[in-house]
Amino acid sequence: MLSEERQGKIVNLVNENKSMSIQMLMNALDASESTIRRDLGELDKQGLLEKVYGGAIAKDQTFSGKDESVKSRSGLHREEKIAIAKYAASLINDDDFVYIDAGTTTECMIPFITAKKATFVTNGFSHARKLSEAGFLTYILGGEVKFPTEAVVGEEAVFLLFKYHFTKGFWGTNGISRSSGFSTPDIKEALIKQMSMSRTNKKYVLGDSSKFSSISCVTFAEFSDATVITSELDENFSAYRSYKNIVEVKEQ
């Protein structure tokens, strides 16, 4: 295959999927790792895609390498988050044992939860306070406190999760991608998300439409691993509507 033809296919694959790993491109094009890396470098210089660690993302994608504080994120996409959170809260029943991940969208769920007999476990310390104030039986993980995201992380928290078996769980995410899955900037938070998901029967990831144009450093689950609850997607993400694990909730 001529280099021009191969590079054209790389650009098409990256634009179609929003992101592609080097391994995925090697498999799709039957090319060596060195060839793909060289092509990605050239295409990045031409401004046709953006080369990132382990692969490439489309030019309309954003790459998030660090966590923003809860204070700076809480007001963003507020109406979308509330609509998503309200729907997510309606999925909780009285007999559920629920995991709620730290995050601004998951925190919006709490005022809408009506299942007063449900039990909750969370790694968000502001979540734990609000759940407890609302009268829910609530447990918080122990471990390292990460202030910017108001989350408990670290080995102790991972170890504690191992003893639980949740009926339902709700997670936040920094990025949503068919090829890169659900991602977050911090490996410690990724490990908490990954372990808690592995201990949960029904898994839901909450993300407003902006998360579909972003990828972060660490993938904590594959795209098919959970049901995605999101706001109504615009035409830029219409391809996602064919996936059965996408639930679109209109802003309210």
Side-chain angles (χ1 to χ4, degrees):
M1 185 185 298
L2 296 174
S3 61
E4 292 83 0
E5 180 184 1
R6 186 180 58 252
Q7 289 179 6
K9 289 185 176 181
I10 289 174
V11 172
N12 288 338
L13 284 167
V14 171
N15 286 337
E16 179 182 352
N17 293 286
K18 299 301 179 183
S19 69
M20 291 288 286
S21 69
I22 289 174
Q23 187 62 54
M24 293 170 70
L25 290 169
M26 289 168 58
N27 294 340
L29 301 172
D30 193 25
S32 68
E33 180 178 350
S34 59
T35 296
I36 296 299
R37 287 187 182 277
R38 183 172 61 252
D39 286 343
L40 292 180
E42 293 178 5
L43 292 168
D44 182 85
K45 289 179 181 178
Q46 296 173 34
L48 298 175
L49 51 74
E50 184 174 348
K51 184 179 179 182
V52 296
Y53 180 79
I57 61 176
K59 290 298 290 185
D60 61 349
Q61 292 278 105
T62 58
F63 184 81
S64 173
K66 66 176 183 178
D67 272 316
E68 300 296 333
S69 68
V70 168
K71 184 178 180 180
S72 65
R73 289 185 289 117
S74 60
L76 299 176
H77 310 284
R78 187 68 179 174
E79 290 185 358
E80 293 181 67
K81 290 179 179 179
I82 290 174
I84 292 166
K86 188 174 182 179
Y87 176 82
S90 73
L91 301 175
I92 300 174
N93 300 316
D94 279 334
D95 58 350
D96 278 323
F97 184 43
V98 183
Y99 181 79
I100 298 187
D101 183 38
T104 55
T105 308
T106 52
E107 186 173 14
C108 288
M109 291 174 59
I110 298 172
F112 300 110
I113 299 173
T114 59
K116 292 299 183 180
K117 294 183 180 179
T119 300
F120 296 88
V121 176
T122 182
N123 73 320
F125 46 86
S126 61
H127 294 36
R129 175 179 58 80
K130 291 183 177 181
L131 285 164
S132 182
E133 286 177 346
F136 296 106
L137 179 58
T138 305
Y139 298 90
I140 186 170
L141 300 179
E144 176 187 345
V145 172
K146 183 183 174 186
F147 182 73
T149 56
E150 298 184 4
V152 177
V153 297
E155 292 182 2
E156 184 177 352
V158 172
F159 179 77
L160 288 170
L161 281 166
F162 189 74
K163 68 181 181 180
Y164 292 123
H165 301 276
F166 304 108
T167 58
K168 293 171 185 171
F170 301 86
W171 290 266
T173 185
N174 292 73
I176 300 172
S177 166
R178 285 177 291 174
S179 56
S180 298
F182 306 111
S183 55
T184 187
D186 184 2
I187 184 64
K188 290 183 179 180
E189 287 214 43
L191 289 173
I192 295 294
K193 293 174 187 286
Q194 190 174 59
M195 175 57 79
S196 55
M197 290 186 85
S198 74
R199 313 304 293 173
T200 303
N201 183 18
K202 294 183 179 180
K203 310 171 186 66
Y204 301 94
V205 172
L206 282 53
D208 60 73
S209 56
S210 70
K211 303 300 175 65
F212 286 82
S213 58
S214 181
I215 297 174
S216 281
C217 303
V218 188
T219 293
F220 61 87
E222 298 301 320
F223 178 70
S224 60
D225 288 345
T227 296
V228 181
I229 303 175
T230 187
S231 49
E232 190 174 18
L233 297 174
D234 62 31
E235 63 275 6
N236 293 324
F237 305 106
S238 59
Y240 280 92
R241 294 197 175 101
S242 62
Y243 287 83
K244 294 181 179 179
N245 65 323
I246 295 283
V247 174
E248 292 181 62
V249 181
K250 294 185 178 181
E251 297 178 28
Q252 298 179 356

